[in-house]
Structure formats: C-alpha cells, structure tokens
C-alpha cells in the first residue's frame, strides 16, 4: 500500500443532467424487471487507464445538508479513483432510476429505488446498503450521510485507508483496473453517535488542524447525531446559580454548606444544596418553560424527547448539611476518599422528573458518573428517564475495565454493570464520555488500542447508546488507538488485534512487521506493569533504557524494510514519542541523582523535542505538552538548580526512603510527631520520589496527612552558614519543623517546589531532626500519588528572605471561639 502524493485541488464536478421521464408506473415496472433479472456480480469502474463507469446522483436530495453530503461522496469517489488509476470519473444527474444505464455507481434514493434499500437501520439514519446489480454499483442509505458512509466502505474495500489526518495519512493503492467485487452488504453503526473531538487546547489553534481531523473522522464513518440524552451532559450547577443569582443571594441555604479553613461552616458555591426543594423547583420551572416555548413555536410537542443537564460543578466542595447527609447513603468513594454523592443526585433527578413526566413523558435529565458521584445508588431507584453519562476520570488510564491488572477499573466495571441492569429493566439511557489520552501527560508512549478493544464491545453489550470522547492531537502517539476506536465504534464485532495488524500494514507498508511488534510490546508493557498513578509519575517504573533500545531497534528495522517515503515518514512519526521517552527517563534519572543542571538540560531538551515535532507536522504533538511541562516540571527544575548552584550548594540530599507515620486526622503535631525524642526506628519506611503511593499499595490512604522524619548532621564546612530546605514537590501542602520548632507551611500547592529557612533552629554540631508533615487538602489532585513526590535537599548559602512561604500558627480553638496558645 502506498499513499499517492498528489496535490489536492478543488475541482468543479463534471455533471451531466439526465432528466428523462416522469417516474411513473411503467418505470416502476421496469425497475422491478431489472431487479429480478440482474444478478449480483462484479462491477468494473476503470480498465486499462480508461473510465468505464460514471457516477449517478439523484436530482433532488431530501434533508438538511443532503445535497452537500451527496456531492461530497461523489467527490471522494472521484479523488480516490483518480489517485488509484489516474482516471477521472464523471457525474450524471438523474431523476428516473429506470433510465440509468451501466456501468455506473448509483448513489442515494436512486440506488434505493433500484433495490439497495438498507436492511439495517438506526435512529440516527446511518444504515446503508452496498449492492452490485448487473453493471451497477448501488449505494443506498437511510440518509445522505449514510450514503457517504457507504462510499467510504467501498473505498476501504478497494484498499484505501486513512491512518491519520492529512495527506500523509491517506492510503491509496495504485491500480490500472478497478473492479468492485460482487456485493450485497448492509451496515449500520453499533453506537448511535461516535464523537472523537479536539478539546479546547492552548494556542496556537490552527484551523487546518480541525479541518484535517473532521475529514479523517468523516472517512472513518464518525457520527455526530445528537441523541436527546446526550444533552444532559455538563457541569450544570454554576449555570443554575448564574441564571438565578438574585434568588441564591437572597437564600444562601440553596448553596452547599461547606467547612471553611478556620473550621466554620459557610454557604457557598459553586456546588448547591441538592436537597433544597427550591433547587428542584427551579429546574422544573426552567424545563417546563423550555417545552412551552418550543411548543408555541411549533418545533416541539409535549411528547418530544429532550434532555437537560442537572450535574454538579467540576471539583469537590459538596454540601455537608444534615439534609445532604440524610439524603446520601453514607458510603465513601474508594478512589477519591470522599463521601459518595450518587444518591443525592439521583434523588434530585427523581424529584425533577416526577414533577415533569406527567406533562412531558419523554423529558430526560442527567449528569456525569464522575468524581464523587461515580457509583450506583444505594437508596433510591433512578427514574427511567434519568440519564447516566460515564466519565471515568477517577480510574486507571493504563488499563481497560476488563483488565485484571487494574484495581480501580474493576470497581468502575461493577458500577457500569449495575446501571446496565437497570437500563435493561426500564430503559435508562446510558452514554460513555471519555478521553483518548493519558491525562496530564500527552508526550510519552501510551496506547488505548487494547483498552478500546476490550471496552467498546463491553459498552455495546451493556446498553451504552453513544460514545463522546474528548481528544488531543498527539498523532505520533495516539494514531493506532484513535484508528481502532473509530473502527470499533462502527462495528464492535471486529478483533482489536486484527485491526492493529491492518493499521500497521496500511500505515507502514513493508515495515509493518517490526512496527506491529513494537505496538504489541507497548500494549503488553503498559498493561502488565500494573501501575495506575497519573501524569508522568509512573513512567520511569513502566519503561527503562532497555525498553527504549528495543523500541529503537524496531524502528530501525521498520525503516530499513519500508520502501516508500510515506511509509518511512509515518514510522519516523512513531519514533518521535520513543525519543521523548528517552529524554524523559534521562531527565528523571538526573533528578534522582540530584544533578539539577542535568535535569535542566533534560527539561530544555524535552521542550525542544516537542517544538521539532510541531514544526514537522502540527498533528504529531499535543498543544498542551509545553503547558504540562511548565506546570508540573519547570518550576521544580529551575528552583532546584537555583538552590543547588553557586552561591548555594547541597549539603544533604534527603533520602528517597524515609521513616513514615500516617496522620489521618491531621493532628500529629499535637501528638508530637515532630519531636526528636519520638523513637522512629520501627516506623514503616516508604519511598518518595522514586515510586508512587499506588506502587507501594498506599492508595487507600486518602485522608489527612503523612509525616516524614529526616535525621542528618551538617558537614563541617557548612556550620557557620545559613541553612535552607528545598522541598521538590508534595501532594499538596508541606509543614516543616526543625528540631521540634515550627518553621512554617508551604500553603496549598500541588506539584510545586517550596523553600524553608532552617537557620534559627539548626543544630550546628550533632544530629538534627527534620519533620515534614504533608497534608492532602484536595483529594482531586492526581490518582495514585501522596506525600513527597520529588527530590528534596538541605542547602547552604545566602539566607532566605522569609522563613517559609507562609507562617504556621497552630492554635487550639477554645470554648467561645477564642484562640489558645501556640502549640
């Protein structure tokens, strides 16, 4: 297979108009005779470099955008056939199917009239039928969009493929003679909508990127039909507050009751008091008004199916009121470690629907199964019109829900099964809303080929009606995954292994063998490692230098075997993310070696590598990558280099493995965990920057704080200098004591570096005890992490201007609200 490198040009369609006779009973009889007499047989389109067939379009096409879709389908046939053979087919327009003479490719209603009526149909009107009758190739469909899908299926069966956006992803075989084999095939999608859409990524946003993506999705038979249930998606509560701001201001009990940092209880958004009767009334009022407005305009009836979102704001901060507690089931979400809120949302949805469905029986409301409301309700049976949209952000991104190597995905699988049983019983609409990349990293090798291969058939079996997947570019990483997703979204009966092999044959040509080996090794390594920590944090434990060298050898072998420039280019695209991994592993090793000049060189190399990929083809890399690198890595690297280089120097590198004490109620300072007299010789020891809490079996510890104790002595040449502490990063607040004396707190700052001045509390001679309490203020930082997450050290040099980012005053609240003495 090769890609035909031809310059795309806009061509006016070569159309001849054949308006024969009015389509009367005689014509119908002629069609019936044709259908009975014409066998299913192969149809020749080109022979010996000459056109044999033409394209015939109906004179009139019903439906919004139908004419544009039909002309686009014809144009795609012309372009691909020309790329295959150099032959340009022409287009005729006809309104009488009985007058069509072959050889011809007949599209749309004309094809249906000649016998290509779809045998498989969908609510989204995407079913099509491919039928060869006599010397006619008939492409009939429920709609013009369905006909377009059928055209792409014909082109695929002729050997065409589209392995990534743009001309470099367009695969067209060279043929002098093009023959469509005998066909009678009906198809319809397994999911009513199949959306893979670019998120609102950072600048620069190039319009042509989205245009290339739209073209690729169209050729992969993507579906953007809007199921009414899909409109229930979104974080709706902030918008409800905004629309009724005056009423929320007048009655703040409609807002969530939350605990402020000083321990007081306050009412505030963006979350609301879901149990407040007026909240349900506002939703009922708005939905009823929407129905009435559309009914008066003649657009809806009372029976129209319509969906409305009622979901919480993104993040945490849910109400702690007695009403909220009584409405819930008292369960904890085992992944996040917060109270589960599923029942509260089901209760709100039930109340809204019970008020509306007597008048509007097909109204739907819904929300994401997400964050702390990602379970199946324990107390309330959902109303049949309550929609559930699975947005599994809490669970492992390296595994599918059927993968036994994942602890978190097992939980999610059970939740989906329970909702599926309810859907089977009473028809609740279920939707999947996911992501195509490893969140908070889109630079390093990652695959969803097996994930999609296992999950999409599962979702089909469990009554998911549609797929809505947020995407980032990163085609150097995600191309096989996105390809397998789109193919399975149409037909889940296909085997993901065979689809991956087909992708490799088409994308890499004669280099397919080693590239298929590479992709399977990537899949096996990612799934088999058993790591679930998010972002970059687990990669150095999943992959190593040997893995990189083996991958490089695969790439080299594939490049040697490939015999076209396009195949070699696509192989080189894959090499880009392998080299990104090599750079990341070098950077990470430098941080573990406390070589921060090397880490800075590594960081700059990763940024330059991204830029080189972007300059080569903007589709190869994600626009968010520099943002992620700056947010999660740059400040750590630059601060670490600043305080390990002249005029500063490291005098003690804090070990990776440290004595550890868990403090689930964040009261360890009152129990003197910071005191040097505490015997910590038998404390458990946990690793900090070389591992993750997930890898150490600690992910179940979600509440409170963790303490680390570091015993050290100053070297003789530092005993007369100011002494400071550099903490690389924590999740997500660090409080520091030196020899039992409080130094201060970092304040809340996930994945940020912090500085503390230890000068006043340091023992110049003899042992020092550094105690670091790391508090998890938010349970939504990143999955699988905890405590100290990057290298830290003691340094000597010019004194810091402030003792700590923030002072730490630990006072007890006395009866009456007065503050006691410092603890």
């Amino acid at each position: 297979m090769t890609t035909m490198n031809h310059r795309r040009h806009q061509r006016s369609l070569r159309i001849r108009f054949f308006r024969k006779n009015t389509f009367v009973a005689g014509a119908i009889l002629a069609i019936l005779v044709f259908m009975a007499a014409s066998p299913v047989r192969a149809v020749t389109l080109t022979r010996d470099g000459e056109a044999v067939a033409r394209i015939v379009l109906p004179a009139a096409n019903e439906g919004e955008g139908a004419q544009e879709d039909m002309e686009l389908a014809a144009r795609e046939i012309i372009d691909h056939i020309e790329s295959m053979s150099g032959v340009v087919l022409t287009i005729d327009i006809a309104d009488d199917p009985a007058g069509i003479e072959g050889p011809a490719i007949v599209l749309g209603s004309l094809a249906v009239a000649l016998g290509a009526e779809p045998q498989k149909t969908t609510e989204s009107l995407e079913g099509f039928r491919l039928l060869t009758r006599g010397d006619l190739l008939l492409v009939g469909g429920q709609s013009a969009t369905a006909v377009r899908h059928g055209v792409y299926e014909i082109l695929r069966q002729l050997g065409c493929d589209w392995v990534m956006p743009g001309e470099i992803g367009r695969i067209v075989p060279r043929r002098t003679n093009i023959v469509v084999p005998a066909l009678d095939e009906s198809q319809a999608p397994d999911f009513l909508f199949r959306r893979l859409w670019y998120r609102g990524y950072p600048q620069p946003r190039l319009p042509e990127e989205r245009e290339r993506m739209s073209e690729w999705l169209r050729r992969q038979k993507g579906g953007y039909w809007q199921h009414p249930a899909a409109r229930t998606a979104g974080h709706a509560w902030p918008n409800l507050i905004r629309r009724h701001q005056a009423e929320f201001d007048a009655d703040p009990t409609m807002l969530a009751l939350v605990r402020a940092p000083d321990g007081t209880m306050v009412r505030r958004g963006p979350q609301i008091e879901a149990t407040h009767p007026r909240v349900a009334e506002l939703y009922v009022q708005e939905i009823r008004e929407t129905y009435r407005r559309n009914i008066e305009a003649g657009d809806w009836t009372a029976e129209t199916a319509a969906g409305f979102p009622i979901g919480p704001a993104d993040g945490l901060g849910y109400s702690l009121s007695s009403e909220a507690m009584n409405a819930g089931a008292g369960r904890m979400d085992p992944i996040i470690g917060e109270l589960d809120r599923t029942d509260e949302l089901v209760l709100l949805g039930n109340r809204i629907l019970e008020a509306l469905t007597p008048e509007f029986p097909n109204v739907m409301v819904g929300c994401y199964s997400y964050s702390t409301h990602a379970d199946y309700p324990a107390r309330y049976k959902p109303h049949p019109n309550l929609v559930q949209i699975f947005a599994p952000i809490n669970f492992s991104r390296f595994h599918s829900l059927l993968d036994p190597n994942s602890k978190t995905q097992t939980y999610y699988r059970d939740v989906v099964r329970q909702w599926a049983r309810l859907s089977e019983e009473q028809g609740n609409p279920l939707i999947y809303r996911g992501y195509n990349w490893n969140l908070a990293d889109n630079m390093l090798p990652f695959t969803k080929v097996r994930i999609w291969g296992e999950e999409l058939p599962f979702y089909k079996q469990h009554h998911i009606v549609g797929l809505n997947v947020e995407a980032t570019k990163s085609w150097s990483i995600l191309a096989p995954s996105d390809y397998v997703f789109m193919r399975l979204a149409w037909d889940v009966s296909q085997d993901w292994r065979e689809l991956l092999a087909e992708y490799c044959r088409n994308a890499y040509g004669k280099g397919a063998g080693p590239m298929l080996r590479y992709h399977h090794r990537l899949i096996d390594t990612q799934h088999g490692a058993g790591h679930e920590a998010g972002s970059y944090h687990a990669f150095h434990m999943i992959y190593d230098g040997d893995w990189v060298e083996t991958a490089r050898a695969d790439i080299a072998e594939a490049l040697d075997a490939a015999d076209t420039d396009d195949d070699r280019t696509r192989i080189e695209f894959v090499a880009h993310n392998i080299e990104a991994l090599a750079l990341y592993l070098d950077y990470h090793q430098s941080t573990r070696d406390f070589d921060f000049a090397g880490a800075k060189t590594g960081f700059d190399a990763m940024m330059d590598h991204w830029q080189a990929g972007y300059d080569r083809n903007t589709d190869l890399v994600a626009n968010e990558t520099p943002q992620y690198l700056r947010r999660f890595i740059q400040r750590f690297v630059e601060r670490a280099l600043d305080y390990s280089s002249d005029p500063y120097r490291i005098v003690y590198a804090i070990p990776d493995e440290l004595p550890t004490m868990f403090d689930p109620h964040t009261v360890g300072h009152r129990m003197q965990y910071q005191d040097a007299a505490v015997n910590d010789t038998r404390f458990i020891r946990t690793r900090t920057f070389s591992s993750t809490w997930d890898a150490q079996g600690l992910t179940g510890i979600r509440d409170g704080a963790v303490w680390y104790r570091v015993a050290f002595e100053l070297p003789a040449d530092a005993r007369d200098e100011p002494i400071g502490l550099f903490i690389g990063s924590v999740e997500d607040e660090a409080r520091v004591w030196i020899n039992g004396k409080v130094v201060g707190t970092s304040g809340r700052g996930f994945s940020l570096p912090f500085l503390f001045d230890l000068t006043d509390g340091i023992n110049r001679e003899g042992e020092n005890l550094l105690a670091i309490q790391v508090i998890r203020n938010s349970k939504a930082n990143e999955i699988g992490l905890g405590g100290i997450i990057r290298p830290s050290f003691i340094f000597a040099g010019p004194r810091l201007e402030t003792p700590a980012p923030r002072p730490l005053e630990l006072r007890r609240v006395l009866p009456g609200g007065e503050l006691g003495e410092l603890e």
Side-chain angles (χ1 to χ4, degrees), residues 259-276:
R259 192 174 299 279
D262 64 1
T264 59
M265 302 297 289
V266 297
R267 293 280 182 179
R268 69 183 181 202
Q271 309 297 15
I272 64 178
E273 186 66 60
T275 60
H276 196 296

Side-chain angles (χ1 to χ4, degrees), residues 199-203 440 442 536 603 607 610 622-635:
R199 63 197 301 260
Y201 51 78
Q203 299 289 350
N442 43 24
Y536 306 101
F603 172 81
M607 292 289 286
W610 176 88
N623 282 35
E624 304 94 334
T625 296
Q627 176 191 41
Y628 286 160
L629 289 172
R630 294 187 187 106
R631 176 182 175 187
F632 296 120
I633 293 178
Q634 182 175 20
R635 283 177 283 188

Side-chain angles (χ1 to χ4, degrees), residues 454-532:
E454 293 177 347
E455 288 194 348
L456 266 58
F458 178 90
Y459 289 144
K460 175 64 177 176
Q461 180 185 3
H462 289 79
H463 311 298
I464 303 291
V465 298
L467 308 170
N468 182 22
V469 175
E470 183 177 345
T472 190
K473 293 185 298 169
S474 274
W475 284 89
S476 70
I477 300 171
L478 300 171
S481 300
D482 290 350
Y483 179 90
V484 169
F485 171 80
M486 293 306 300
R487 295 290 301 275
L488 286 172
W490 181 270
D491 178 7
V492 299
S493 70
Q494 301 172 98
D495 187 291
W496 64 265
R497 298 167 190 83
E498 294 177 1
L499 289 175
L500 178 59
E502 181 180 342
Y503 175 88
C504 290
R505 288 192 300 272
N506 292 341
Y508 312 127
K510 292 182 179 179
M515 293 306 295
L516 182 61
R517 187 168 65 238
Y518 162 77
H519 285 299
H520 274 293
R521 185 183 304 107
L522 174 63
I523 292 166
D524 292 345
T525 303
Q526 175 182 299
H527 285 255
H531 289 285
E532 303 194 35

Side-chain angles (χ1 to χ4, degrees), residues 145 189 218 253 320 340 389 448 450 559 568 590 603 644 707 729 738:
T145 298
R218 185 176 69 241
T253 64
L320 299 174
D340 176 75
I389 301 176
K448 294 198 77 166
R450 176 178 161 186
L559 287 172
R568 282 188 285 269
S590 294
F603 172 81
S644 63
W707 288 74
S729 296
I738 185 69

Side-chain angles (χ1 to χ4, degrees), residues 27 86 262 267 329 591 701 801:
D262 64 1
R267 293 280 182 179
T591 69
I701 302 172
E801 294 182 0

